[in-house]
Every structure is written in C-alpha cells, then in structure tokens.
Amino acid sequence: MTGYEVRPDAETVTLLGARVTVTGATALLAAAQDGPVELLAGGDFPAPVREVRCTVRADSGVHRFEAYLRADAALPGAGLLALGLAGPVGLLVAQRLAARGGDGPAAAVGRVAAEAGRRLGLRPAGAALAEPSRDPAGLAVLRAAEEAGLRPQVSHDGQTVRVRAEVPSADVTPAHLTAMVGVVLQAVRELAGDTPEPTLLRGRSYPVGHRAAAAVPRSAAVTLDQVGGLAEVVARFREVAVSFRHPQAMARWGARRPQGILLYGPPGTGKTMLARALANEIGADFVEIRTPEILDKFLGGSERNIKRIFREARRYRRPTVMLFDEFDSIISYAGSGGDAASQAVNAVAGIFKQEMNTLFEENPDVIVVATTNFPQRVDASLTRSGRFDLKIAIPAPDEAGRAEILATMIRELIDRHERPGFRMFAADVDPVALAAASPGLTGADLREVLRRVQLAKALREATEGAPPAPISQDDLRETVAGLRRG
C-alpha cells in the first residue's frame, strides 16, 4: 500500500514532559523547499506565554529554522531575570549580548545572565554546556541539539523571544527538526518560570506536521498538497504559483505568466477546489463570481454586470484568483443565430472577451479561472490562447487516483479529529482495496462516502452514550454500496 498509507510516518517523543508527535518529518523538510512550513502553531502553552510559532524554510542550500515566542507583558531591555530566561536558553541570550561588549544595558544583562549561568552550573560564553546543573532537563535538550549539529541563536526584543538555527540542506535530518522543537519548548519553560524538573509542560501534547483544524471551511483552506489523484494538474498549478513568487525572473525574460485558466470535466472532479487551492498556494485572495451576479433578465443588464465585475478587478491591489464557476451557464455558444436570444448571448460573450483582454494588460496580478462541465458549449474564440492560456481537462479519477484521493481525505480527517484516547479510523482501512470497489466514483462521491459514515458513527454515539468502534473497512465498503444504490 506504499504511497497510500492513511497514517504517514510518525514518531512520538517526550520532550520536557510534553508529548510531541512529529508526522512526516522527511516530507516536511522537503516541502520547505517550496516555502515556509509551519511546525508549531496554536498549541496550549502555559502563561505568560501567549503565542508560539515555529517554521522551517529552505533557500540557497540552507534549511532555516525560526521560532518566536510572545509573552503577555513587555520584557525589559535590561534584565534576563525579569525576562524569565535564567536557564540554559537564557545563557544563549547572554552569550549574544556579551559579545557586544561595552558598559551599557547589554553588558548589564550579560552580567545578570552570567551569574544565572554560574548558579546553573554552566560554563562561560563560548564553552560547552556542562554538568552539574540545577536544570538537567533543559541542559539535556540543548545538548541534544548541539550533538545533532543544531546551534540555535536566541534573541529578545520587547515582548518577543526569537530562536534561529541554520543547517545545510544536504545535511538536514528529522533529528534537527525534533531538536528545534525541544529548544523552543525549553524557552517556553523558562519564560513560564518552570522548575528544574519539568512540570508545566507535563501532560500537554504538541503535534508537529499535523494540519491544525482551520477556523475556515475545509474547501476554503484547501491546498495543492491536499489534492489527490491529479498529479499532472497539480504540477501545472505549481508552475503558475512559482511564476507569481518570482516576478523578477519573469521580468528579466519578458515572460508573461498564465492569467486565464479553463478547467473542464465531469461534475464532482474537484474543479472548484483546485481554483481555491491555487489561490492558497499563491497567497492570493479568492473571489467567486456566481451566475446570478451576472445574468440579468433586462436587456443590457448582464453586460453591465460583467463590466462592473471587471472594473473592480482592475482595482485589486493584491494577487487575486477570480473564479467563474459553471462558465457555460454564463457564456454559452450561440453560433450565428439571428434570433434575439442568440444576439443577447453573443453580446455577453463579446463584452467578456473585451474585458478579459484589458484586465490582463492593466492588472497582471489577477488570474481568471473558469470551470465548466460542458466545454463544447463555450465559444472557442473566447477560450483561445491569450485569454485562457491553460485549458486543462479534469477527468474522473481512475483506480489509482481514487486510492490517492481516499488516502488524502482520510489523513486530513485523522489530522483534524483524532486525539489521544480517540481513534477515528481502524487499522484495517485500505484505500487501495476501497478504490478497487468504487469504479466510476468521483472525488465528490468519495467525500460523500466519508460524510455518511462519519454521520452514522456520530449518531450512534449520540444515541448510545459512548463512542462506537472506529470506522472500519467494512463500514466504508457498505457505505460505498449504499451510495451506488442511491
């Protein structure tokens, strides 16, 4: 079942009393080549720590880890004891400040931290960490980072503590990722005034590599990484995203990025989801234009609506993906008919062509995506290159595609809903076998299968008062059969 495991490679370790589960570490480090990857976000941290963020990104052959911790109150510029960093991480701050020299606040901070370091049993700046220590757990974390080749630099400014480290991309391993998380958690301990024996983090859980449950609807938060069964389409969309992230390279070669994309294929194959994923990949706003916003029963109304929509698009100051869903219902092929209906449709199509031409000239940061289930109903002159540069078929998934879609959807549900003590899916769930038993189903059909089985389990718990057994392969197979029966 290689490539379709619903529970990717995961390792759970205990760091400073906290349970840390790292999922797909190798994949996370690889994804950092495409942009910053969030490692820790939204966890439950002890007061006065208000926010902790940790990312890794790769460029120029180096993986850069960076974290920042924000406290409730401003941290004085001189006084690590007030800062709370009087442990091993605080010593790293002191080393950085002491290197500046002088008699100002930095030197005072350095003297305070040096004294704290002596109390902890730490050697002077530049020396290796040593025993004995009044914080052996904190020292063990920093020593593990040092042995892994991770040498963190710590600084603070106002309410924020920053932790940075760099590792050559050729040498980076999952051990560096885990070591960075350990250093960040040690900084949390010191800010919270934890005792030498970790207590404040005990019993807390921190997932690394899980997609946190978003505060926005799933379809709005979808990324290209979550799109299954459409590898070639995803690759082309990633090229579009790269063209937006590197405008200097585009300008140097006089290259024009694709700004019009037509997606066509059967219903339920994920065309709208792909448009949203493209917007999220670029970091663009997403604007969906629905048919009622354009079509007007009064003569000339539809043309005015199109002009208004494109006039607003020219004013967008951020990258934006505009989606015209069910495009054929807006712009249908009218041929050369002379009746009033055909003339009205031709007028709408003509205005749309003109607006597309001028939009791309005046605002290169807008992408127009149109989707249709019936490409033959759309006038070919409207979808020619220069208006819609990319015309991409989105087919119903084959068996391998269905297996990938199922594995992706189930992983997402596991990431969002499973918690210690609650297992959502049984160990026998096999996306490959389920794909073989579901010929002809689209991605939307497969999501409906999961929705039905989730609902059945939730209703059973609600009526019986206790969680039922996890979702099994038999549950899924029976639900597929039920969907086929209607």
Side-chain angles (χ1 to χ4, degrees):
M1 219 173 44
T2 303
Y4 303 115
E5 293 84 356
V6 296
R7 299 179 193 279
D9 178 36
E11 179 185 9
T12 299
V13 296
T14 299
L15 293 175
L16 302 168
R19 177 186 173 91
V20 177
T21 301
V22 182
T23 303
T26 302
L28 290 176
L29 294 173
Q33 301 281 356
D34 297 325
V37 173
E38 198 80 48
L39 300 180
L40 276 173
D44 178 24
F45 296 98
V49 180
R50 184 175 63 192
E51 182 181 11
V52 177
R53 302 292 297 272
C54 183
T55 61
V56 58
R57 61 185 176 88
D59 58 69
S60 303
V62 176
H63 270 67
R64 293 182 171 86
F65 296 89
E66 182 170 7
Y68 70 86
L69 301 82
R70 194 178 299 273
D72 279 330
L75 306 172
L80 285 178
L81 295 179
L83 174 66
L85 291 172
V89 169
L91 182 64
L92 294 178
V93 178
Q95 290 174 349
R96 178 177 175 274
L97 295 174
R100 297 179 180 176
D103 297 321
V109 173
R111 286 194 295 273
V112 171
E115 176 58 30
R118 281 192 290 274
R119 293 199 307 271
L120 286 164
L122 304 177
R123 295 182 182 177
L129 298 170
E131 302 276 12
S133 169
R134 292 177 58 187
D135 189 3
L139 274 177
V141 164
L142 293 193
R143 185 173 293 107
E146 191 174 75
E147 291 174 354
L150 190 80
R151 293 175 174 78
Q153 300 293 319
V154 185
S155 60
H156 80 90
D157 179 17
Q159 295 173 256
T160 302
V161 174
R162 294 186 181 276
V163 185
R164 296 182 177 89
E166 295 185 356
V167 180
S169 297
D171 301 329
V172 73
T173 67
H176 294 107
L177 190 155
T178 304
M180 180 65 180
V181 172
V183 173
V184 172
L185 292 181
Q186 173 61 18
V188 169
R189 286 187 61 221
E190 294 182 30
L191 276 174
D194 202 6
T195 60
E197 178 62 31
T199 57
L200 286 180
L201 298 183
R202 186 172 297 156
R204 299 175 189 260
S205 296
Y206 299 105
V208 177
H210 286 271
R211 287 183 294 274
V216 293
R218 184 208 62 81
S219 60
V222 70
T223 66
L224 291 178
D225 289 334
Q226 295 169 262
V227 176
L230 294 169
E232 293 183 7
V233 177
V234 168
R236 297 187 74 178
F237 272 31
R238 290 198 192 281
E239 289 179 357
V240 175
V242 168
S243 73
F244 267 79
R245 287 198 292 264
H246 298 277
Q248 292 180 342
M250 300 293 291
R252 183 176 297 114
W253 290 92
R256 183 178 64 85
R257 65 171 69 97
Q259 284 188 258
I261 303 174
L262 179 68
L263 304 178
Y264 61 92
T269 51
K271 296 183 291 295
T272 301
M273 178 187 68
L274 277 164
R276 289 187 181 276
L278 176 62
N280 291 329
E281 187 77 10
I282 296 172
D285 293 337
F286 182 81
V287 178
E288 183 172 359
I289 312 299
R290 300 181 183 275
T291 303
E293 297 179 51
I294 292 182
L295 299 186
D296 193 310
K297 65 181 180 179
F298 296 107
L299 185 64
S302 299
E303 293 92 318
R304 286 192 296 271
N305 289 337
I306 291 175
K307 289 182 178 180
R308 172 185 53 78
I309 289 167
F310 278 90
R311 183 169 60 250
E312 293 172 356
R314 292 186 186 91
R315 298 171 182 166
Y316 294 152
R317 291 294 174 261
R318 282 176 41 81
T320 302
V321 171
M322 294 176 62
L323 172 66
F324 290 88
D325 212 357
E326 298 183 350
F327 192 51
D328 54 279
S329 65
I330 301 171
I331 309 292
S332 295
Y333 181 77
S336 57
D339 60 297
S342 295
Q343 291 175 7
V345 171
N346 280 329
V348 170
I351 294 295
F352 201 98
K353 294 174 192 177
Q354 296 173 15
E355 296 294 334
M356 284 275 286
N357 292 343
T358 56
L359 172 65
F360 293 163
E361 293 172 0
E362 297 178 26
N363 193 341
D365 287 335
V366 174
I367 295 178
V368 174
V369 178
T371 69
T372 178
N373 303 330
F374 307 101
Q376 68 277 10
R377 295 183 183 176
V378 181
D379 191 334
S381 68
L382 180 62
T383 60
R384 67 162 174 79
S385 297
R387 294 190 179 113
F388 287 95
D389 297 314
L390 298 182
K391 292 175 275 291
I392 304 175
I394 312 297
D398 59 13
E399 186 172 320
R402 291 194 300 278
E404 185 178 351
I405 291 170
L406 283 164
T408 301
M409 289 179 176
I410 292 172
R411 286 185 202 126
E412 180 185 340
L413 290 172
I414 289 172
D415 285 350
R416 293 167 67 89
H417 299 291
E418 284 199 356
R419 297 291 183 270
F422 173 68
R423 191 177 180 92
M424 191 173 190
F425 288 88
D428 69 341
V429 170
D430 182 351
V432 173
L434 199 61
S438 55
L441 296 193
T442 65
D445 295 329
L446 297 174
R447 187 166 293 281
E448 174 62 13
V449 167
L450 292 171
R451 188 197 69 81
R452 290 188 183 188
V453 76
Q454 288 173 261
L455 178 62
K457 292 290 184 179
L459 291 176
R460 184 171 177 182
E461 177 177 340
T463 55
E464 297 182 359
I471 296 169
S472 67
Q473 184 76 355
D474 285 343
D475 293 327
L476 293 167
R477 190 182 298 111
E478 290 171 7
T479 307
V480 167
L483 184 68
R484 288 189 175 283
R485 290 193 298 269

